[in-house]
Structures are given as C-alpha cells and as structure tokens.
Amino acid sequence: MLLPILPKAAFAQKKPASLTGKVVDDNENPLGNVSVTILGKRIGTSTSDSGTFQLQVPADKAFALVFSFTGYKTVQRNFLLSEKENEYVVIRMERGSGMLDSVVVTDQRQRREAGLILLNPKNAINIPAPGGGIESLIKVVVGSNNELTSQYNVRGGNYDENLVYVNDFEIFRPYLVRSGQQEGLSFINPELARNVSFYNGGFQARYGDKMSSVLDIQYKKPKTFGGSAYVGLLEQGLHLEGASKNGRFTYLIGVRNRSNRNLLKSQDTKGNYVPSSSDLQAQLTYQINSRNSLELLGNISQTKFTLTPEFSQLTSSVFSPYFSANLGLDIYFEGREEDRYRTNMIGLAWVQQLNKKLRLKWMASRFENDEKESLDITGAYLFGDRAFDKAKPDFGTITNPLGAGVYQNFARNKLNIALWNFSHKGSYDQGKHFIQWGQTIERQNISDRLNEWEYQDSAGYSLPYNPNMLNLSKVLKASASLDITRLSGYIQDNIIFHDSAAFTLQAGLRYNYNTLNKEFLLSPRLGFSFKPANWERDVIFRGAAGLYHQPPFYRELRRYDGTINKDLKAQKSWQVVAGMDYNFKSGNRPFRFTAEAYYKQMWDVVPYDIDNVRIRYFGENRAKAYATGVEFRFFGELVKDAESWVSIGLMRTREDLDKDTYYNYTLDANNKPIDSTQTEAGWLRRPSDRLLTIGMFLQDYLSTNKNFKVYLNMLYGSNLPYNIPNSVKYRNALEIDPYMRIDIGFSALLLDSDKANRRSHNPFRNFENIWATLEVFNLIDRNNTISYMLIKDFSNTVFAMPNRLTPRLINLKLIARF
C-alpha cells in the first residue's frame, strides 16, 4: 500500500534551487520594483530599490523567468538548476514602451477623439496576411473581401474615399489597376513607421476632403544606428536608420522588393505570372537650431505585371427547385498582358518651433503617377456541365456543352498624373485652447488616353448580332488633358473646459474650392468627449458631427463611355458618430472596450460599380444614399504580454438613383412582347453593403517558452451585391458569397537580445534579435469569390461564373533586427 507513495515522498523531499540577481538599465543603474515571475505560473517577486531580487525555483526542471517593468522591454531568461544550486545573474533591461499599455492606460487622445484607433506598427510585420503591412492591420478593424489588394472599404465607402498621409504629406494610389493581382507594394513601409493613427469616421477639420476615413502615418526620427532585414518567399526588405554624433542629422532609409508569383500561380487562371514591385524610401532630417528643422521625404516605386495566360477552369454549382448542376467553363488563351505603374514623390518640410506654444510647418511636394496598361488576350471557351465522378475517365471534363465561343480583350491605356502641393500648417497651445490652422494650394495636371475594346463571337456570330456589320461588344476610346487648381484650408480649436479634462470640445471649419467645377464648399465639424467625474469605472463618452464633402478627382469625372464630365459636383454628406470607451483591468492585465454608432446621409452621389478592385463611375451626380451601423471593439492581453483585439461591425448602406426606371415585358407564346410595365428600381444595396464584418488578431506563446509565438488573423464578411455593369434593371442582380479567411503564423526566436554572452568574433554580435516565421495563408482553403464572369449559352441564357481568390499557401520569412 505504501509503495506507490514512496516516489512522491522522495520527490517532495527535493530541496529547491535559488536564484538571486540584480536588474539594471542601459546605464547600469539599478531598477526597483521590477516584476520577476516564473513563466506560466503566478509565483514571483519584485526587485528592491537597489534592483536586487531572490527567488526559490524548482530544481532539475527547466523554467523561464520573465522580467517586466513599465517603459522597458520585457526580458525572458531560461534556466535549469540542480538541487540546492544557487545562481547569480545580472539582467539588463532596455527602454521601450509597450504599445498596448500606452493605448489602454495613458493615451487619452485616442479615447477622446471619435473614430480614432491607434495601431502598433510592430504588429504589421507579424500579422499573417498575404499583403502584410499597415493595411492588413486596418482590415482586421474594418473588414475586407480581397487579400490581393492593400485597399479597404470603411463604413460603406469605396477605395477612393480614404485619405492617407505620411508625415503630413498626402499619398495617392494607382488608378488603372483592374485587379488586386496587378498591385504592388503599398506606399507605407511599416519598418519606418513610428505612429499609426486611423480614423474610421468623424475625423476633424484638419484632415482633408474625403467622406470615409483617414490613415495618418508618422515615420520615426532615430537617435542611434539600427536597422532590420527580412527575407520571405513573397517579400524582402532592408531598412537602416541613424543619427550624426551631435544628433542634428538623422536618416531613415528603406528598400523593399515584392513578387506575388507564388501567390498567383495557384489561381484558377494558369499561365506565366511575372509580377514584381520594388521601392526606395528615405526620410532625412536636419536640426538647423533649437527652433528650426528641415525634413525631406522621398519615394521611388515601380510595379511591373506580366501575364501570359494558358488556360482557366472555372466551376460553379447551381442548386434550384428545378435542377442541380455542376457548371464548368474551360478557356484556352492566346496573348499577353503587360502593365507598368511608376510612382515618384518628393516632399520638403520646414518646421519652426518658435516657442513652447507656437509651431509652424511649411511644406512643398511633388507627386507623379505614370501608368501604362497593355492588354491583348484572346480566349476560346467551352461552357457546360462538368463531370465530377472520379471513378469515370471523363472526370473534370465538360460532358454536356451549353455554350461555346471566342472573345478578345484589347487595351492600350496611358495615364499620367502630376501634383504640386504647397501647404502651411500651424498650431498654438494656450493651455485650455489648442488652435490649429492650415492652408493648401494644389495644382493637378492629368493626361489620359484610353483605348479599350472587346469582341465576342458566340457560336459563329458576333455579339451584338448584326448580319451586315462586324460590331464590337464594347468600345472605349477617349483622351483627356486636365489642369486643375485646388484651394483648401481649415481652422479648429480643441478646448478643455475643466482642469481635469472632464469635458473637451473640438470645433473646426474647413473650406474647399477648385477651378474645374468652380464649387466653393464649407465643412463645419464638431467633436466632443465627456468623462463622468464621480464614476468608479473609467468610461469616456465621445461623439462627432459635421459635413464631409469629396470634390471629384480623375476617376469620378469619367463616364462609362469614356467622356469627361467637367461639371461634376462634389459628393456631399453629413455624418454623426456617438460612442463610448471603457478601460478596465482583469487579472492585472489592461483591457479596453469601445462601441460606436454612426449615420451618414449623402447626396450628389456618383454611383459606381466594382469589378475586382476596379471602380467604374457613372460620371453623373444622380443618386442619394445613406450608411448606418454600429461597431464594437475589444482590445487587451488575452494572454499576458501578448496584445490581441476583436472587431465586430453591423452596417447597412443603400442608394437611390435618379432615372432608374426600366420596363418589364409580357411575352406571348412566340416570345414576342405584347405588353410592358414601367418599374422604378428605388432603394438598392450599394456595392459595399455588407451587413456583418468580424475581424480578429490574436497572439499567444508557449507557456514554457515565450520565444515561440503564434499569430492568428481571422476575417469574416457577409455577402456583397454584384451589379451587372451599367445596367439599372439588373443592378443588385447577383450576390458575392460571404468572405471567410483564417491566416496563421508561427515565430521562433533564433537569437535573443543578450549581447553580453556573445564573443567578439561572433558574426551576429551586433544583432538585436533574429526571428524565423512560418505562415499559412487561407488555412481553411476557402474559395472566396471576388467577381463574376457572365457567359451566355446557346439559348441566350446568361450564367455567372465566379472568379476566385487565392487558395491555401505556405510562406517562410526570416526577420533580423540590429
């Protein structure tokens, strides 16, 4: 009876080991009150005022100690001590604030501005997503339906309704891009970013004239030499930073190269994909004296995309009360697509800090976007029932042909956009009043030439059918040269009404004028925040209201037939936002919950259709629209020292087009019309109407080894409407199935930051750390749909064949920082 107990008793008699040591900072100064805990357990202690600590630890068993202190980087050390062994260690901690702590505990600006979300740029390199970058973090917040693009929709808006700033310079994106696979690198280099502020609505007057969102990026200003390098199957990059000995001159340089070839070769259309994109960015600063400094920001980016398609096999299952079928479309191609997108940007800023209260900034920049699109592809297709019985020899082939034909797509498009921008911004801090103002003059030169046509031959005759003439099914030939001058400016005051900042108010007025349609616009905007003084819970209520106008740019001006509408007015909206922000702690870990409701009423709207990422506008102010919804977000350390967040959004957006009447015909036995009824379409779903979006970014690590981490990125979006292009009757005729995607990444630390234990001849002696990452994109291998291809059978019935996005793919990445 006693024999089974003896081993346990012997084990219990083991004497524990002890660990003593001292914790110091970069300058060898002792750090007191540092938390010292055993990883995965609640056992721990704190350092004394002299930085010393003593802790009993298990013997003959591997364990890890975690040292954490506010304002310093968390340190982990692994140990394996014998019975009664006493070891002495010195732990050096480096300065570096945790992003979540600053967001949840101390950063009141984020909590008091409606719609503002601060993102940690360090997570952009860790998030497992095919595109990577800052935009992948944003998609977790707002949702997405295309992993091949860096663009995003915010609260019912489209890609053109988002503002992007880097160091106060406005950034633009390519315009001729048809599909996400043609896109290259995003302008924003996450390795250079210091702060990322994202406004998904209710933004202040100091930001520009768009209707949906603002992404405001501030790059780093380095103090010492450092850098990083990463190599992956999709992207490679290098960045260097440093400062002169006296600290007056700093530099920040980043180089990136990306090729989506591995990502695209697994798509439905097989062929030779040669995508490549590279860029060079640099930020140089020089402190002239204590009051004056210069900042230079430059970027050179080039993207090339070449596709020689061979064949494509599309499949769609049809289920109805009348029949079920597996429909297939086999296309065999000839021809080639070559695209080039080149972007150059240079900006110079002169910053004057005249005193503690007054700051002035003078900026001049030039942005140029040069695009060429060359497309000449012929496809011969066979459409019908596809066999899916693996036991039969005809598996995968089309056994019952329903349609056949040939089509040819041709395009020779060129676009050049050059923008000169001169701006002044200033601020004056008067204690309870923080006054900001700005003035901008911008000159736009646009040179455009479009030459597109499409030919369709179905079962031996051309569509549209005319026995006496060869007609093309679609022709777009147009050219334009525009010179536009825009003037804009703002003034706003941020007011604190109480010493404890219980109530704050942001009131501003913005104006805009352009020489194209000579429309003068005023946009008053108001925001507030209130924190109840007598509440035990840390809750802030906030809201915003105002007018948000969007003067037309290049793409909105162009009608479906290619002509330019120079009289197009700005799209206009008034918006209201109300929400709350709640900070709390659970298990000594900080958490944050936010909720916001919004409503946008829009008029003079320019309707549009979206095909993949290409936006085609009607070129007329012929609609009114609205968007309304509610969003919930939860931030926190679900696992200690591992930041995670969850976002849930509910939304409805509708539009009502002018002149949207059409006829329904009554046919006789010979299919000839004998009567007609005029019908008005009324309120319809907008192309970005998505009822439910869910995004999650979760981090975790092994309980016994914090140096092995896991990152999970999950996105879900309910169905979207798909419009038959340039059709009123068949607007909202189709639906795109819900988008669902899970990406997962595993990271292992190959080299830690403990440089003291490295020998002088060690080639890695100057490296901060080295991580290896394995990523699995689209873990569930879901066939997400991005658009449809419309095919007619022999009886003139139209079928919609889905164009799919990327399947499951594995990516490897090595990241080193020094």
Side-chain angles (χ1 to χ4, degrees):
M1 296 287 296
L2 296 176
L3 290 178
I5 305 176
L6 292 178
K8 295 183 180 180
F11 179 80
Q13 293 173 1
K14 275 194 174 184
K15 301 296 183 181
S18 63
L19 191 66
T20 58
K22 186 176 183 179
V23 181
V24 297
D25 62 11
D26 298 7
N27 299 318
E28 301 297 324
N29 297 317
L31 291 176
N33 204 31
V34 174
S35 174
V36 184
T37 58
I38 298 178
L39 184 64
K41 298 183 179 181
R42 296 185 178 181
I43 302 174
T45 185
S46 298
T47 61
S48 65
D49 292 339
S50 59
T52 60
F53 70 93
Q54 184 173 1
L55 189 66
Q56 286 191 338
V57 295
D60 297 328
K61 185 178 180 181
F63 66 93
L65 287 187
V66 178
F67 301 82
S68 57
F69 189 56
T70 303
Y72 288 79
K73 296 180 181 179
T74 300
V75 176
Q76 176 182 319
R77 290 290 182 270
N78 300 322
F79 299 94
L80 177 59
L81 303 182
S82 304
E83 187 177 358
K84 297 183 181 180
E85 183 179 355
N86 185 9
E87 183 168 338
Y88 181 83
V89 294
V90 176
I91 304 298
R92 293 173 178 81
M93 301 188 69
E94 298 181 3
R95 293 185 180 275
S97 57
M99 184 66 180
L100 186 67
D101 291 342
S102 64
V103 169
V104 176
V105 180
T106 62
D107 198 327
Q108 298 299 314
R109 168 175 163 260
Q110 178 189 16
R111 304 187 65 200
R112 293 189 177 276
E113 292 190 34
L116 173 59
I117 301 171
L118 295 183
L119 300 172
N120 185 354
K122 293 182 180 179
N123 287 331
I125 199 71
N126 295 325
I127 185 170
I134 301 297
E135 291 85 357
S136 293
L137 297 176
I138 294 175
K139 288 179 180 181
V140 178
V141 175
V142 302
S144 172
N145 70 315
N146 191 345
E147 63 269 12
L148 290 174
T149 179
S150 61
Q151 307 306 315
Y152 45 87
N153 303 99
V154 180
R155 291 182 175 177
N158 66 33
Y159 305 144
D160 293 334
E161 296 179 16
N162 303 317
L163 284 163
V164 179
Y165 294 94
V166 173
N167 286 11
D168 295 331
F169 293 105
E170 187 173 356
I171 306 303
F172 301 87
R173 69 183 187 92
Y175 289 89
L176 291 180
V177 168
R178 294 168 178 260
S179 60
Q181 64 187 20
Q182 298 167 319
E183 281 196 32
L185 290 159
S186 162
F187 182 96
I188 304 164
N189 188 334
E191 288 293 316
L192 310 185
R194 172 174 53 91
N195 292 327
V196 179
S197 302
F198 177 65
Y199 296 82
N200 59 356
F203 48 89
Q204 301 176 12
R206 60 193 176 101
Y207 291 112
D209 299 285
K210 294 289 180 75
M211 294 197 299
S212 287
S213 74
V214 175
L215 177 59
D216 189 355
I217 308 289
Q218 295 294 321
Y219 277 179
K220 295 185 287 188
K221 190 174 181 180
K223 295 182 179 180
T224 59
F225 175 78
S228 67
Y230 60 93
V231 178
L233 297 180
L234 298 179
E235 186 175 330
Q236 306 82 40
L238 169 70
H239 109 270
L240 299 172
E241 60 183 65
S244 60
K245 291 183 178 181
N246 57 11
R248 300 177 68 177
F249 174 75
T250 68
Y251 61 89
L252 190 63
I253 302 173
V255 181
R256 293 179 295 170
N257 179 73
R258 182 176 179 86
S259 174
N260 285 338
R261 189 167 189 171
N262 290 330
L263 199 62
L264 300 178
K265 68 181 182 181
S266 57
Q267 290 196 283
D268 290 332
T269 299
K270 306 301 180 183
N272 184 25
Y273 289 88
V274 188
S276 65
S277 182
S278 57
D279 78 338
L280 168 65
Q281 288 191 47
Q283 176 185 267
L284 309 177
T285 68
Y286 182 71
Q287 190 73 35
I288 302 173
N289 51 43
S290 60
R291 296 185 177 182
N292 295 271
S293 63
L294 294 175
E295 298 178 0
L296 179 70
L297 177 65
N299 174 76
I300 301 173
S301 176
Q302 178 170 282
T303 297
K304 293 181 180 180
F305 178 81
T306 302
L307 168 61
T308 306
E310 297 174 359
F311 68 93
S312 177
Q313 288 186 320
L314 305 179
T315 302
S316 177
S317 297
V318 177
F319 302 97
S320 74
Y322 306 104
F323 73 97
S324 298
N326 289 312
L327 298 179
L329 175 65
D330 290 350
I331 310 175
Y332 297 88
F333 298 101
E334 285 186 0
R336 182 182 179 90
E337 177 182 356
E338 291 185 2
D339 306 318
R340 190 197 71 186
Y341 311 99
R342 182 179 296 164
T343 300
N344 302 311
M345 184 265 181
I346 186 74
L348 179 65
W350 174 25
V351 182
Q352 294 179 287
Q353 189 70 52
L354 299 182
N355 51 52
K356 293 183 179 180
K357 297 182 177 181
L358 181 61
R359 185 178 188 270
L360 305 176
K361 189 171 185 178
W362 311 84
M363 299 185 296
S365 65
R366 184 182 187 276
F367 174 89
E368 183 176 10
N369 186 38
D370 187 66
E371 305 182 29
K372 291 183 180 180
E373 190 178 57
S374 178
L375 176 69
D376 192 352
I377 295 177
T378 301
Y381 67 87
L382 180 65
F383 169 66
D385 291 332
R386 192 184 299 281
F388 269 88
D389 189 349
K390 292 184 178 181
K392 295 183 179 181
D394 60 356
F395 170 71
T397 63
I398 293 177
T399 56
N400 179 26
L402 299 175
V406 176
Y407 70 89
Q408 184 176 2
N409 290 333
F410 178 90
R412 294 291 188 273
N413 299 329
K414 292 184 178 181
L415 173 66
N416 182 269
I417 300 177
L419 294 95
W420 290 90
N421 184 292
F422 300 92
S423 301
H424 164 66
K425 295 184 177 182
S427 63
Y428 184 74
D429 190 349
Q430 200 181 24
K432 294 185 177 181
H433 293 267
F434 183 65
I435 303 171
Q436 301 174 77
W437 64 88
Q439 173 63 49
T440 298
I441 179 170
E442 184 178 271
R443 181 69 173 176
Q444 300 175 0
N445 305 113
I446 302 173
S447 176
D448 175 32
R449 191 187 74 185
L450 293 181
N451 182 13
E452 297 182 17
W453 54 262
E454 181 178 318
Y455 168 74
Q456 290 189 9
D457 185 332
S458 178
Y461 59 89
S462 175
L463 298 176
Y465 177 68
N466 188 333
N468 301 318
M469 185 180 300
L470 176 64
N471 289 329
L472 299 174
S473 62
K474 183 177 69 175
V475 179
L476 179 59
K477 289 191 176 184
S479 61
S481 181
L482 300 174
D483 295 317
I484 306 171
T485 301
R486 298 179 185 270
L487 298 174
S488 62
Y490 67 90
I491 184 170
Q492 75 174 47
D493 188 8
N494 292 21
I495 309 169
I496 299 176
F497 282 91
H498 193 275
D499 291 338
S500 63
F503 184 79
T504 65
L505 182 70
Q506 305 96 35
L509 179 66
R510 185 173 187 86
Y511 85 90
N512 186 285
Y513 174 80
N514 70 84
T515 58
L516 180 69
N517 58 19
K518 298 179 173 57
E519 193 175 21
F520 183 81
L521 302 169
L522 286 176
S523 304
R525 301 174 188 176
L526 184 71
F528 74 90
S529 69
F530 172 68
K531 183 174 183 179
N534 298 323
W535 286 23
E536 294 182 3
R537 301 186 183 276
D538 185 6
V539 178
I540 291 180
F541 297 96
R542 60 192 187 186
L547 293 177
Y548 295 83
H549 303 143
Q550 183 164 323
F553 198 62
Y554 157 76
R555 202 154 25 192
E556 294 98 314
L557 298 171
R558 188 170 293 285
R559 301 183 180 95
Y560 257 90
D561 61 2
T563 58
I564 297 293
N565 182 7
K566 295 184 179 181
D567 297 323
L568 190 70
K569 297 180 181 179
Q571 300 182 83
K572 305 174 181 68
S573 71
W574 61 263
Q575 305 180 18
V576 292
V577 180
M580 56 86 68
D581 182 295
Y582 173 40
N583 271 357
F584 62 97
K585 283 192 174 184
S586 177
N588 292 324
R589 296 198 298 269
F591 292 93
R592 180 167 174 250
F593 173 77
T594 67
E596 279 193 349
Y598 59 90
Y599 181 81
K600 298 196 285 188
Q601 183 69 47
M602 295 166 273
W603 65 98
D604 284 339
V605 173
V606 184
Y608 61 90
D609 296 319
I610 297 182
D611 186 14
N612 206 310
V613 300
R614 191 183 196 189
I615 301 178
R616 295 293 301 274
Y617 287 93
F618 283 38
E620 303 285 349
N621 299 104
R622 52 173 295 193
K624 57 185 177 182
Y626 72 87
T628 184
V630 62
E631 296 173 347
F632 306 95
R633 294 189 179 86
F634 177 78
F635 304 82
E637 294 182 1
L638 299 179
V639 178
K640 184 175 174 57
D641 299 325
E643 175 188 359
S644 301
W645 69 82
V646 180
S647 178
I648 301 175
L650 297 170
M651 183 194 67
R652 271 292 178 232
T653 179
R654 297 288 192 269
E655 62 185 0
D656 185 8
L657 277 65
D658 297 333
K659 304 175 184 177
D660 61 348
T661 58
Y662 58 90
Y663 288 91
N664 286 321
Y665 294 94
T666 302
L667 306 179
D668 61 12
N670 297 320
N671 287 332
K672 292 185 178 181
I674 58 175
D675 195 9
S676 64
T677 304
Q678 189 180 51
T679 305
E680 184 176 356
W683 288 93
L684 299 170
R685 297 176 68 184
R686 303 194 80 197
S688 56
D689 178 54
R690 171 162 273 164
L691 177 61
L692 174 64
T693 58
I694 301 175
M696 290 194 298
F697 176 60
L698 307 178
Q699 299 185 59
D700 198 357
Y701 51 83
L702 291 181
S703 60
T704 57
N705 188 356
K706 200 173 183 180
N707 295 328
F708 187 86
K709 298 185 177 182
V710 181
Y711 306 93
L712 185 69
N713 177 36
M714 194 280 277
L715 292 171
Y716 172 82
S718 55
N719 65 64
L720 285 170
Y722 187 82
N723 301 325
I724 307 301
N726 204 23
S727 171
V728 173
K729 182 176 181 180
Y730 296 106
R731 197 165 182 83
N732 285 186
L734 299 171
E735 277 188 355
I736 295 178
D737 291 336
Y739 181 88
M740 186 183 301
R741 185 178 182 88
I742 298 176
D743 304 310
I744 191 169
F746 304 91
S747 293
L749 183 65
L750 303 182
L751 183 72
D752 62 21
S753 58
D754 188 6
K755 301 178 183 180
N757 295 329
R758 301 177 200 163
R759 298 181 179 180
S760 59
H761 61 273
N762 190 324
F764 302 104
R765 63 183 180 277
N766 292 321
F767 279 76
E768 183 70 23
N769 54 61
I770 299 178
W771 288 85
T773 300
L774 170 68
E775 297 173 322
V776 183
F777 302 141
N778 197 359
L779 182 66
I780 59 177
D781 201 23
R782 179 178 172 85
N783 290 325
N784 289 301
T785 299
I786 184 59
S787 63
Y788 288 101
M789 179 182 294
L790 304 180
I791 297 294
K792 289 186 178 181
D793 66 4
F794 295 127
S795 64
N796 213 33
T797 302
V798 179
F799 291 83
M801 301 301 295
N803 292 313
R804 306 292 191 182
L805 287 164
T806 58
R808 185 187 296 124
L809 180 73
I810 294 178
N811 182 43
L812 297 173
K813 188 164 53 178
L814 190 67
I815 307 168
R817 290 186 170 85
F818 48 88

